[in-house]
Amino acid sequence: RSCQQINHLKDLCKRRDSSYPPSPTSDTMRVLALALLLQAASAFVSKRGPIMPRRAVQARAAKIDMLNVGVIGCGRIGLVHLEALASCASATPVIVSNPTVSKAEAAAKKFFVPNFTGDDMEVINHPDVEAVWICSPSQFHADQIKACAAAGKHIFCEKPIATDLPETIEAINACNAAGVKLFTALQRRFDPNFARVKQSITEGEIGDVITVKLCSRDPSPPPTEYVKGGGGIFKDMAVHDLDMARFLVG
């Protein structure tokens, strides 16, 4: 019944009779109808409880096992991953962290995450977290990967794994020793356009590959503070092009 009332009041708000000019009376009625609409909607939501994120609705309908995820970092790339997780029927964030706690709180509110913190170790050691999304600045990746491995948590890490080779090897070895999975976010391997190029090479459609030319651009420069510890243009950006060279002709 509440749904019917809401739909009816919507119609009242939208309805206009073109044969008559607007009048104070008709405007008043539209305002009144809108007020009633808001009241009915509020009553309807309060009866139903909070609206569930789409992923939870999908998982419940399909009876899918849900992977509980913790997300470290609520900056630009962290929000990109949270948005992706929000539409994933088989994974759900249960806690997010950011050194600026207000950013973690805002992200938690926006994406219906029940817990937030300013401490990355609270994400890693959270009892419900099965896998950790590392979306922090590059210089923190290696230590966070090793902490996840020590806690027995699987890892999805933004590139690069670390900002130098010894730390990279150390982080990978820690995951191997702990028996946890480590996946690096080199997403171009899943891009349909790059997949089509790969297909044309492997099937011999274009003949022998002599040269691979790759070019990358970001929409805008990163913050200065990020650049200081990000590993520079090669480790933080050109890593995608280096990976694509390996993917296509390696």
Side-chain angles (χ1 to χ4, degrees), residues 70-147:
V71 178
I72 297 174
C74 296
R76 181 182 67 86
I77 199 65
L79 296 180
V80 169
H81 285 292
L82 280 168
E83 184 175 2
L85 286 165
S87 61
C88 179
S90 57
T92 184
V94 296
I95 185 171
V96 296
S97 74
N98 199 81
T100 305
V101 182
S102 59
K103 288 187 176 181
E105 182 179 12
K109 182 178 180 180
K110 181 176 181 179
F111 295 104
F112 301 96
V113 182
N115 303 292
F116 64 89
T117 177
D119 186 352
D120 58 349
M121 292 304 299
E122 288 189 22
V123 173
I124 294 169
N125 293 320
H126 192 286
D128 295 334
V129 168
E130 300 166 88
V132 177
W133 257 237
I134 298 178
C135 305
S136 56
S138 302
Q139 66 267 35
F140 302 115
H141 289 182
D143 286 341
Q144 289 168 342
I145 288 171
K146 288 183 284 185

Side-chain angles (χ1 to χ4, degrees), residues 6 23 41 58 94 142 152 187-188 192 196 234 237:
I6 291 172
S23 65
Q58 291 171 334
V94 296
Q187 79 284 358
R188 294 184 188 179
R196 178 67 182 90
F234 285 101
M237 180 72 176

Side-chain angles (χ1 to χ4, degrees), residues 200-212 248-249:
S200 70
I201 293 172
T202 56
E203 296 181 357
E205 182 181 338
I206 63 172
D208 295 333
V209 178
I210 306 301
T211 302
V212 175
L248 295 173
V249 296

